[in-house]
Amino acid sequence: MSVMMPKPSQAILDRRAAIVTSLRAIVPGEGVVDAANEMRVFESDGLTAYRQMPLVVVLPETVAQVARVLKYCHAEEIPVVPRGSGTSLSGGALPLEDGVLLVLSKFNRILEIDYDNRCAVVQPGVTNLGITKAVEGQGFYYAPDPSSQIACSIGGNVAENSGGVHCLKYGLTANNVIGVELVTIEGEVMRLGGKHLDSEGYDLLGLMTGSEGLLGVVTEVTVRILQSPETARAVLLGFPTSEQAGECVAAIIAKGIIPGGMEMMDRLAINAAEDFVHAGYPRDVEALLIVELDGPAAEVDHLLVEVEAIAKANGAVTAKVSQSEEERTAFWAGRKAAFPAVGRISPDYYCMDGTIPRKQLPRVLAGMKALSEKYDLRVANVFHAGDGNLHPLILYDANKEGELHRAEEFGNDILRLCVEVGGVLTGEHGVGVEKRDLMPEMFSEDDLKHQQRVKCAFDNKHLLNPGKMFPVLHRCAELGRMHVHKGQVAFPDLPRF
C-alpha cells in the first residue's frame, strides 16, 4: 500500500477475541463477522488499488445496536470506520487493521413517502436509485444521480456529498437532504433538520453532509423528492477538439441556459461506451457533449434551438436530438456506463475527481493531455461539464512494474492543476485516503487545524474514520492550546471561558 495508514494499536490487536465477544453480545446472530475469509470482501472500497483487512466487521440492524456499538468502542478507545455499499472512490471506507468496520447495509428500508411535503424518509442503506424507483409511479424522482446510483447507498451519498449528471440544475446531495438522524461516537442519537423549514442556529446538517464519516454515523435520511418535468430531451453534440467542447460549455452557461444535465466525454471514452452500450454516439469526433433540457415542451424546444446554435458557433460538427424517451434514455445509458465501459479496454484504471471553474476547461484539458504524454499513460475523460466536476480515468496495468505509482503521480498532478486554476481537490468523491496528503495544496496549516477543531467537537478521541482526510492529525488538547508571547495571549481584551 503506497498510502500510509495509522499504525495499528498492538493493545487493541492483542484483545481482539474479547472485543469480538463483546460485540457479539450487542449484535447477536450473524451480525458480527470475524473470519478472515469472510472479511475479505470488505478489505477495499471502490478505490481497489488500496486494501486492508479490518479488525472485525459489524452489521447492526437497529439504531439501538449502532448506539451501543459506538458507545462500547468509545469506552474501549477502538477506532470505527462507517461503511455503506463500499462504492467510495477515494478510499473513504477503507478499513483499519485495529478498527471496527461498521456496515450499514441492513438499514435498507424506505420508512415513509410524503408526497404532500415532497419528501421521503429512508434508511442509509437504501440505494440512490431505489428512492426514485419507489416514487416514480406518482411522477416523482430523487434528483442527485451518481453513475453508481444502482449500487451506492444514500448514507454514502450523504457522507461524500455526491452529485451526478443532474446536479448542475438540481444540486448535490447537500441541496436535496433536509434531515438526518445520526449517532455520535459516544452513542448519543441526534436529529438534525427534518420536514420543517430550516432551523435557526448553526447549519449542522450542512456540516454533516460531506463529512466522510468523521463526525457521526447516519442512521436515517430525509430527502427532497421532485416532480418529474413535463418534457426532457437530450442532444448529442460532437466537436473536433475537447477544447472546443469546453468553450461550448462555458458559452451555454454564459447565455443564461441551465440544462438539466451537461456531460462531456472524449474520444477514448466515447468509443468505449459505444462499444459497450450502442447508444448511437458519433465515433468521428474528439469530444462529445450530452446536453439535456427539461421543463415545459415549448421551453425545451426553444432552448434546443439556442443550444444547437451556440454549439455550431463553437465548432460543433454533429448534433443529434433525441426523438423519443427511449432514445434520450439510451444517450444517458452510454454516459452512465462509461466507467465500466473503460474497464473493458484496460486491466486497471484510476478514477479521479476534481472541480474547476468552467472557463478553465480548455486549459485543464490541454494540461491533462500534456501530463498523459509525460507519464506515458492514457487518460479517458468523462465528467460533469456543466459544473466543472472532472472525472479523468487514468488507464494502467497494475501487473506492470511502476505503472500504479505513475498513475498515482499523474492523478496528483491533475489535482494540483485543478487547484492552480482556482478549483478544488474534490467535487463529490471526497478526500478519503486518496487526496488526504494533497490537502496542504489547497489549505494552509491553520485551515486544517480549524477543520480538526470541528472534528474534536464531535469526536475528541479521533476514533471515527481516522487516517482519512487530514494529512497530520493533531490531538484535541494540542488544538485547544493558546499561544502565549511575552506573558500575553492573542487578543487579551476578549473574554475567555
Side-chain angles (χ1 to χ4, degrees):
M1 180 184 296
S2 57
V3 171
M4 296 295 294
M5 294 298 289
K7 184 178 179 181
S9 165
Q10 189 59 48
I12 292 176
L13 298 178
D14 289 344
R15 52 194 175 98
R16 180 175 184 267
I19 292 170
V20 170
T21 299
S22 297
L23 291 171
R24 288 193 192 281
I26 300 171
V27 185
E30 299 180 345
V32 175
V33 180
D34 66 324
N37 63 326
E38 295 175 353
M39 293 195 300
R40 184 70 61 186
V41 296
F42 298 101
E43 68 177 354
S44 179
D45 58 15
L47 187 63
T48 56
Y50 308 132
R51 301 170 185 270
Q52 185 164 274
M53 290 286 280
L55 179 75
V56 61
V57 178
V58 180
L59 295 95
E61 296 185 47
T62 68
V63 176
Q65 288 177 345
V66 173
R68 288 183 62 193
V69 168
L70 290 175
K71 187 175 182 178
Y72 168 76
C73 290
H74 182 258
E76 298 293 325
E77 299 193 358
I78 303 167
V80 178
V81 178
R83 181 185 175 105
S85 298
T87 59
S88 168
L89 291 168
S90 64
L94 186 68
L96 294 172
E97 187 179 343
D98 62 347
V100 171
L101 190 67
L102 189 65
V103 182
L104 278 296
S105 56
K106 291 187 177 182
F107 281 68
N108 57 6
R109 294 171 52 224
I110 293 178
L111 303 175
E112 180 188 2
I113 299 173
D114 185 345
Y115 292 109
D116 291 336
N117 287 304
R118 299 195 175 193
C119 64
V121 182
V122 305
Q123 291 185 316
V126 172
T127 63
N128 176 287
L129 186 60
I131 300 175
T132 289
K133 290 295 184 183
V135 301
E136 64 184 0
Q138 297 296 318
F140 284 81
Y141 72 110
Y142 179 61
D145 53 347
S147 295
S148 59
Q149 66 179 148
I150 192 172
C152 65
S153 64
I154 193 65
N157 289 179
V158 172
E160 306 292 4
N161 192 19
S162 302
V165 299
H166 288 98
C167 65
L168 171 62
K169 186 173 184 178
Y170 297 106
L172 300 161
T173 300
N175 307 109
N176 290 276
V177 168
I178 55 178
V180 299
E181 175 188 79
L182 66 96
V183 185
T184 69
I185 187 62
E186 292 92 347
E188 179 185 359
V189 180
M190 299 173 56
R191 283 192 175 274
L192 305 175
K195 295 182 183 180
H196 53 277
L197 293 176
D198 294 345
S199 57
E200 61 183 13
Y202 294 117
D203 181 16
L204 297 180
L205 179 60
L207 183 66
M208 190 60 55
T209 306
S211 59
E212 303 193 31
L214 273 74
L215 304 182
V217 177
V218 172
T219 50
E220 182 185 290
V221 186
T222 303
V223 300
R224 180 179 288 110
I225 55 175
L226 303 178
Q227 201 155 17
S228 301
E230 175 188 322
T231 302
R233 297 178 72 189
V235 56
L236 301 180
L237 302 170
F239 295 84
T241 68
S242 293
E243 289 76 13
Q244 286 171 297
E247 295 285 4
C248 183
V249 169
I252 290 172
I253 300 298
K255 185 71 173 179
I257 300 171
I258 306 297
M262 185 156 50
E263 301 290 298
M264 182 171 164
M265 303 166 68
D266 67 9
R267 180 186 281 270
L268 194 56
I270 293 166
N271 284 290
E274 184 61 17
D275 289 340
F276 188 35
V277 176
H278 311 294
Y281 292 168
R283 292 180 179 271
D284 57 347
V285 296
E286 289 298 323
L288 177 70
L289 282 183
I290 310 173
V291 183
E292 180 170 288
L293 289 309
D294 61 12
E299 178 186 356
V300 170
D301 290 343
H302 169 72
L303 291 178
L304 281 170
V305 173
E306 292 277 311
V307 167
E308 284 191 75
I310 294 170
K312 185 177 180 181
N314 282 275
V317 293
T318 63
K320 182 179 181 182
V321 179
S322 63
Q323 301 302 315
S324 65
E325 180 61 17
E326 291 73 23
E327 190 172 28
R328 183 190 74 86
T329 302
F331 288 176
W332 284 118
R335 167 59 184 89
K336 291 284 187 179
F339 288 5
V342 170
R344 299 171 78 231
I345 64 172
S346 176
D348 302 282
Y349 69 77
Y350 185 17
C351 179
M352 303 301 302
D353 165 56
T355 301
I356 61 172
R358 280 183 293 264
K359 67 179 182 180
Q360 297 290 352
L361 272 172
R363 175 181 171 186
V364 172
L365 289 170
M368 283 195 285
K369 188 181 297 183
L371 289 170
S372 177
E373 295 173 359
K374 173 183 175 181
Y375 288 100
D376 192 25
L377 293 172
R378 294 182 296 167
V379 59
N381 279 297
V382 182
F383 54 87
H384 310 311
D387 56 0
N389 187 194
L390 313 181
H391 292 316
L393 307 177
I394 301 171
L395 280 54
Y396 71 98
D397 186 347
N399 293 317
K400 293 183 177 179
E401 183 70 27
E403 281 212 1
L404 172 59
H405 177 70
R406 294 212 316 275
E408 290 176 316
E409 289 302 310
F410 187 176
N412 289 343
D413 280 351
I414 289 175
L415 293 175
R416 291 187 182 101
L417 178 59
C418 289
V419 174
E420 180 185 325
V421 301
V424 295
L425 291 172
T426 179
E428 57 173 335
H429 291 178
V431 175
V433 298
E434 176 200 33
K435 307 178 187 75
R436 180 195 66 195
D437 297 334
L438 288 172
M439 288 286 274
E441 299 283 340
M442 182 174 170
F443 298 105
S444 69
E445 184 178 353
D446 283 343
D447 292 332
L448 293 171
K449 284 183 177 180
H450 280 303
Q451 292 179 40
Q452 289 184 49
R453 288 184 175 95
V454 174
K455 165 77 167 167
C456 290
F458 284 83
D459 175 21
N460 64 356
K461 294 182 180 180
H462 290 314
L463 296 175
L464 282 171
N465 221 4
K468 318 292 173 62
M469 191 178 289
F470 299 114
V472 177
L473 197 60
H474 295 83
R475 295 180 179 178
C476 294
E478 295 172 338
L479 293 170
R481 292 173 181 169
M482 290 184 291
H483 180 66
V484 179
H485 180 65
K486 295 185 177 179
Q488 292 289 324
V489 297
F491 309 107
D493 54 319
L494 294 179
R496 303 183 186 277
F497 302 95

